[in-house]
Amino acid sequence: MNSITIHHTFLPHTDPDESLAFYRDILGFEVRNDVGGGAMRWITVGPPGSGTSVVLTPPAADPGITEDERRTIAEMMAKGTYATLVLATPDIDDAFDRIQAAGAEVVQEPVDQPYGIRDCAFRDPAGNHIRLNEVR
């Protein structure tokens, strides 16, 4: 039996307070850690009861990244093509209505995909592509 699980993954933020409001207040994630300050702030969030976390990080904080790479990352984030997170819910229509009513940017309304999944998509405040799959 495989005992490996997903512990955490990373998504970039451009404004830590806006990202915190999206993940905590709109998606209902709990805050597990909040370190640093200003633009150099790392915030760990996750669904209550789940061991998996998302670390919201400053983009391109690695000192080994060049200015050209930073510019490319910023351009990709602005287009919503840099990072994607896929979440799951048992009632996608209820979740979609709640997230849309909270003001999130809608990328796709709920759709039955030809490959058997009903899903929708949003962008978080940093431009990350957030897909939501219905699982029963």
Side-chain angles (χ1 to χ4, degrees), residues 51-129:
T52 303
S53 298
V54 176
V55 184
L56 305 168
T57 65
D62 186 327
I65 293 178
T66 68
E67 283 307 311
D68 283 344
E69 292 167 331
R70 286 184 214 288
R71 189 172 29 258
T72 298
I73 290 170
E75 290 169 359
M76 292 179 71
M77 287 175 66
K79 291 174 30 182
T81 58
Y82 183 70
T84 299
L85 178 66
V86 180
L87 305 172
T89 182
D91 186 343
I92 197 165
D93 294 299
D94 178 65
F96 177 83
D97 290 345
R98 185 175 44 80
I99 295 168
Q100 181 183 38
E105 180 183 345
V106 175
V107 175
Q108 173 203 304
E109 294 189 5
V111 170
D112 292 318
Q113 299 290 355
Y115 43 87
I117 293 175
R118 182 167 173 78
D119 70 353
C120 63
F122 297 92
R123 291 180 70 184
D124 78 3
N128 297 307
H129 189 118

Side-chain angles (χ1 to χ4, degrees), residues 12-21 38-39 41 43 56-59 77 125-126:
H13 68 64
T14 52
D15 182 316
D17 290 325
E18 285 184 0
S19 289
L20 178 60
R41 188 169 158 203
I43 305 166
L56 305 168
T57 65
M77 287 175 66

